[in-house]
Amino acid sequence: MNKAGKQASGHTNPLFFAIELGIFAGVIWGGIRWLIYVFHFTKVIPGFLAEPFFQHAFLMKPAGQLTGYLFFILFSVIASLIYVFLLRKLKGPWPGMVYGVIWWAVIFLAGSWLFLQQPMFRLPWNSVVSEFCIFLLWGLFIGYTAAIEYTDERKREQRTKLA
């Protein structure tokens, strides 16, 4: 295998690709999630995914926010593994966007029943909308990156550039 998880045959190894994609998705979109929290666009703490494992008071401190950031990266790796192994052949940006919205719904609607998150309807609207947009774009990033890697999107983009 060479550098980017490519096998000698030129095909991308799905496992390594998904892990790498998840790390980048988590680093980028987890960082943006942290920024929207710092700038008070959302009241959802960066460590919300770590709530079942750590005390809320710890997650409010800088070390807790870093822990939450790492949990978001781990969550992104798991989500990208699921996407790459089940949905990688879907074309275009829409499947990824839907994937992100589904994760948002699971975390913010069903998550309140599982005590992952406070009920969505108790959050201010700016938090709900900000989180929705972050998950939409996070899903777009995962889905469209996988689509470009595993479908003919790259060829189609090259044809439109040449025309």
Side-chain angles (χ1 to χ4, degrees):
M1 276 204 215
N2 65 13
K3 197 168 139 181
K6 299 249 184 196
Q7 297 173 343
S9 64
H11 295 285
T12 302
N13 181 322
L15 177 65
F16 293 124
F17 176 77
I19 292 170
E20 184 178 31
L21 174 60
I23 290 170
F24 279 105
V27 167
I28 293 167
W29 297 103
I32 292 172
R33 269 203 84 262
W34 180 75
L35 283 175
I36 69 168
Y37 176 76
V38 167
F39 290 120
H40 304 290
F41 287 103
T42 184
K43 293 197 181 287
V44 179
I45 62 171
F48 76 101
L49 290 172
E51 286 267 14
F53 308 103
F54 295 94
Q55 293 181 351
H56 186 77
F58 170 73
L59 294 173
M60 296 296 290
K61 296 177 183 174
Q65 290 185 9
L66 177 61
T67 301
Y69 187 48
L70 295 174
F71 264 75
F72 192 82
I73 293 169
L74 178 64
F75 164 70
S76 296
V77 168
I78 293 167
S80 66
L81 282 165
I82 293 168
Y83 192 92
V84 167
F85 282 105
L86 296 178
L87 306 169
R88 71 177 177 241
K89 296 292 183 177
L90 298 177
K91 296 178 182 179
W94 293 105
M97 293 168 75
V98 170
Y99 188 68
V101 170
I102 289 170
W103 275 111
W104 172 83
V106 165
I107 290 170
F108 287 93
L109 297 176
S112 63
W113 297 320
L114 302 171
F115 305 107
L116 288 173
Q117 180 60 4
Q118 64 179 327
M120 183 187 75
F121 301 107
R122 290 189 186 161
L123 289 171
W125 280 107
N126 60 336
S127 292
V128 173
V129 171
S130 296
E131 295 294 335
F132 179 85
C133 290
I134 287 294
F135 275 89
L136 178 87
L137 293 171
W138 169 84
L140 173 66
F141 181 84
I142 290 172
Y144 203 56
T145 303
I148 287 177
E149 187 66 30
Y150 288 103
T151 65
D152 65 346
E153 293 288 328
R154 207 179 291 159
K155 293 175 192 171
R156 192 175 330 151
E157 286 179 4
Q158 287 175 353
R159 272 187 262 145
T160 54
K161 285 181 185 176
L162 296 174

